[in-house]
Amino acid sequence: MTGREWRSRAACRSVDPELFFPVVEVGPMCAAQIEAAKAVCGRCPVLGECLSFALAYLAYGVAGGLTAEERRGVAAGRGRTAARPAGRLADATRGERAAAGRAAIRAGRGVRETAREFGVMERTATRWAAQVRAQRQAGRGRGVA
């Protein structure tokens, strides 16, 4: 797809846009809203395109499966050279693929499906899943859902 035509296939097209902009900045309510937004992103067929767009143009909200803060962290590491897969994530850096892959796993996609979709080995997707589990456990320890 060229330009921004990918938007017509986005999973968020039929969702209230307010979901992607949490009404509070911290706490369980914020975490729940971010999790719900990321769940939509996790089932999106154009997640890679959205993430690339979000990294370039969006300063706020959840987009491409990441919060604005997470995107800033990815953008900070963009200067590194990385192997890139073919297909819809061809322009994504290694960090962008990892962040989007973890978002997909957080949203309930399986390791095998995530590995195929993001052009990585199952071992890499398994590592992403372990990172997601560790983040969830750390969140529970802080009282965050």
Side-chain angles (χ1 to χ4, degrees):
M1 295 201 146
T2 60
R4 295 187 187 163
E5 295 171 12
W6 56 268
R7 289 180 174 186
S8 66
R9 296 179 34 228
C12 61
R13 246 184 42 237
S14 60
V15 176
D16 182 356
E18 293 296 318
L19 175 66
F20 300 92
F21 299 92
V23 293
V24 295
E25 294 183 22
V26 295
M29 188 172 166
C30 178
Q33 189 170 353
I34 288 171
E35 187 175 326
K38 285 183 174 185
V40 174
C41 294
R43 66 178 184 267
C44 186
V46 292
L47 183 64
E49 291 90 336
C50 182
L51 179 58
S52 293
F53 177 81
L55 286 166
Y57 300 107
L58 300 179
Y60 303 102
V62 175
L66 302 176
T67 64
E69 183 177 324
E70 291 166 334
R71 289 194 307 275
R72 283 190 291 276
V74 168
R78 281 192 123 193
R80 299 184 198 148
T81 305
R84 296 178 179 192
R88 66 177 239 228
L89 290 171
D91 292 330
T93 66
R94 181 176 167 185
E96 291 167 351
R97 282 194 321 274
R102 285 190 299 269
I105 288 170
R106 245 189 316 284
R109 284 198 186 152
V111 167
R112 182 171 288 152
E113 177 185 7
T114 301
R116 266 194 314 271
E117 180 174 355
F118 290 90
V120 299
M121 297 180 73
E122 282 188 41
R123 179 178 69 209
T124 299
T126 299
R127 184 171 33 83
W128 293 345
Q131 291 167 345
V132 168
R133 280 192 303 275
Q135 288 172 342
R136 284 182 180 152
Q137 290 174 347
R140 282 190 205 117
R142 292 189 315 261
V144 178

